[in-house]
Amino acid sequence: MNMSVYLVGGAVRDRLLGLPVIERDWVVVGAVPDDLIKQGYRQVGKDFPVFLHPGTGEEYALARRERKVAAGYHGFAVETGREISLHDDLLRRDLTINAMAMDAAGQLVDPHGGMCDLQHRVLRHVSPAFVEDPLRVLRVARFAARFAGYGFTVAAETMALMRQLSSGGELGHLVPERVWQECIKALSGPSPSVFFSTLKACDALLPLFPELDRLFQVPQSPQHHPEGDCGVHSLLVLDQAARLSDDPVVRFAALVHDLGKGLTSEQLWPSHPGHEQAGVLLLEALALRYRLPHVYRQLALAVMRFHGEVHRALTLDLRALDSLMHGIGAWQSAAYPFEAVLTACKADCRGRTGFEDADYPQAAYLRSAREAGLAIDRQLPARLGYQGEAYGRALGTLRRQALRRWRRELAGFSAASVLR
C-alpha cells in the first residue's frame, strides 16, 4: 500500500498567511476505508469517508472526486479509491487559496495558483465546477468578510459565476440551517458587513435576505442620516456593532433593527413613521425561515421595537421611561438583554456618516435609571398585602417614585443630544 497524507485547505492557507492554525484537515491519497480502520481510525460522516485520527482526533478524509447529479449542494456523487490523486481532490475545492496542500516535509502542492492569489489578495474559483454548488456563494462572501482586513477582494470572474448561481435559482435549494450557519460565522468575524455587501453585489441578497435587500435605495432624512440609503445605514450599524461587541447576537440585532423602513410608502419618504413596529412581521418571517435560535429573535425584536425610544430616553416622561425599561429588560436582575440593547442602539447612533465616534449619553442615563429602579424594596408591596396585578401596579408606582427622586438629582444630561 502506497498511502500518502497531506495537510490541506484552511490550515495551509492560514499558515502561509502567518495566521494561527486553529484546526487541521488532512487528505489521504492511495487508500480505502479499510486501510484507515485497520490503523485505528474511526469513521464518521455519511456523505463521504471521513476518519478521526486515533491519537489527535483530527479529521482525515480520503481523496475524492465529485460529480454533480442533482440540484442543490447535496446533489453530488462522491467517488473514492486508491486511484484518486491529490490533484483530483484539490480540483473539487472552492477557491484557489483553499486548494493547496502540504506534504510531511512542508513541500507545497499548488496546482491552481493559490499562492499567487494569496500574494495578490484575490479570492478566485478553482474551476468552472464552482457553479455546481450554490453554497459557495455564501462561502465566498464569508471569506471576503473574514479576510477584508487583509485586502482580499473577489475576482471579477468569480463574482460573475456567483451572479450566475444567484439568478439560476440554485440558492433556493440551500437548507435554512446551512444558510444560517454561514451567516453566524460571518457575524462572528471581523468585518461582517462585507458578507452582506458581497451578497448584494452578486445579487444573492434578494433571494436569501429579501428583508435586507429591500432597504437599499430607500432614502432617509439627510439631516440625521448623511449616508442617506437605509441599506447602507444598516451595514454601517453592523460595522459599529462589530466595533462595540464580539457577540453575533448583538450584531444581528443591530443589522436588522430598521427592517420596517423597507415597508414605508414612497409618499412618506424620507421619513419612516412607525417603522419600529412595521418591521416586526418582517423579522418574524426571517426568524421562521431560518429557524433562528430564540436568543437572536428575542434581542432583535427588542432592539427593533424600542431603539427609537432608547434614542429619545432623555425626553421621556416617567411612565414612558418605566415602560421602556420594562420592554428592554432593565428591571430584570440579569444585565442581559438590557446591556445588549444599549450596545445595539449605540451602534445605530454611530452607524451614520460623520457620527462614527459620537457620544451616546442615553446609555449612561438608562444605566443610572436602572440602578435607581432596582434599588427599591420589591417586597414592600407584598408586606402591605398587595397580590397579583395589584402587586405589579404597586411595584410600578414604587419604581416611578424612585425614578422621580433619581431624576431630580440629575442635572448634567441635555436633551439636545437626543436623536430624533
Side-chain angles (χ1 to χ4, degrees), residues 22 36 54 82 134 185 218 293 309 350 381:
I22 306 302
L36 294 182
R82 290 193 175 93
K185 289 179 180 178
V218 174
E309 292 179 53
R350 291 183 170 184

Side-chain angles (χ1 to χ4, degrees), residues 1-2 36 68 96 116 125 168 172 183 186 242 256 262 292 366 382 389:
M1 179 180 65
N2 186 21
L36 294 182
K68 184 76 168 178
T96 60
C116 180
H125 62 283
C183 186
V256 301
L292 301 193
L366 292 175
E389 293 183 2

